[in-house]
């Protein structure tokens, strides 16, 4: 197997096929949460940098609770819609 094919296989296993990989780190493609987030107007915060998945939102920033998904919080940072784990305040998805 060539190096490229081996690298692709390792990527697939580590990030797509392995149990507990991306699903535990984010919300995946949960259409209900994404759809809800895309039509919200706030709360909104302006930040000097972009937010990325894995960032932690400070306790001083108020998050909205996502209806029917009580473990998720929501905020708009700059122009990005952000889904946050309410327990850890870790960014799970940025739209």
């Amino acid at each position: 197997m060539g190096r490229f094919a081996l690298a692709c296989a390792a990527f697939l296993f580590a990030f797509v096929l392995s149990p507990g990989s991306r699903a535990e780190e984010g919300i995946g493609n949960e259409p209900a949460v994404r759809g809800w987030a895309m039509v919200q107007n706030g709360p909104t915060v302006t930040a000097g940098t972009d937010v990325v998945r894995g960032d932690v939102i400070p306790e001083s920033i108020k998050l909205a609770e996502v209806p029917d998904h009580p473990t998720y919080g929501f905020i708009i940072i700059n122009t990005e819609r952000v889904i946050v784990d309410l327990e850890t305040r870790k960014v799970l998805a940025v739209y």
Side-chain angles (χ1 to χ4, degrees):
M1 190 180 282
R3 286 184 183 175
F4 179 74
L6 187 59
C8 288
F11 173 83
L12 280 173
F13 179 77
F15 293 104
V16 178
L17 301 175
S18 65
S21 62
R22 296 189 119 170
E24 289 180 3
E25 294 176 22
I27 62 170
N29 292 325
E30 190 159 340
V33 175
R34 181 186 172 115
W36 179 87
M38 296 308 289
V39 298
Q40 299 308 303
N41 293 322
T44 302
V45 172
T46 301
T49 62
D50 291 334
V51 64
V52 295
R53 198 168 104 187
D55 285 351
V56 176
I57 304 300
E59 291 285 335
S60 60
I61 295 178
K62 182 175 170 38
L63 302 172
E65 190 173 300
V66 178
D68 300 322
H69 300 276
T71 60
Y72 298 146
F74 169 80
I75 190 166
I76 297 172
I77 299 178
N78 300 326
T79 59
E80 304 290 330
R81 271 109 173 110
V82 180
I83 303 297
V84 178
D85 179 306
L86 284 176
E87 185 176 323
T88 64
R89 299 188 67 89
K90 191 173 182 178
V91 173
L92 301 175
V94 179
Y95 305 119

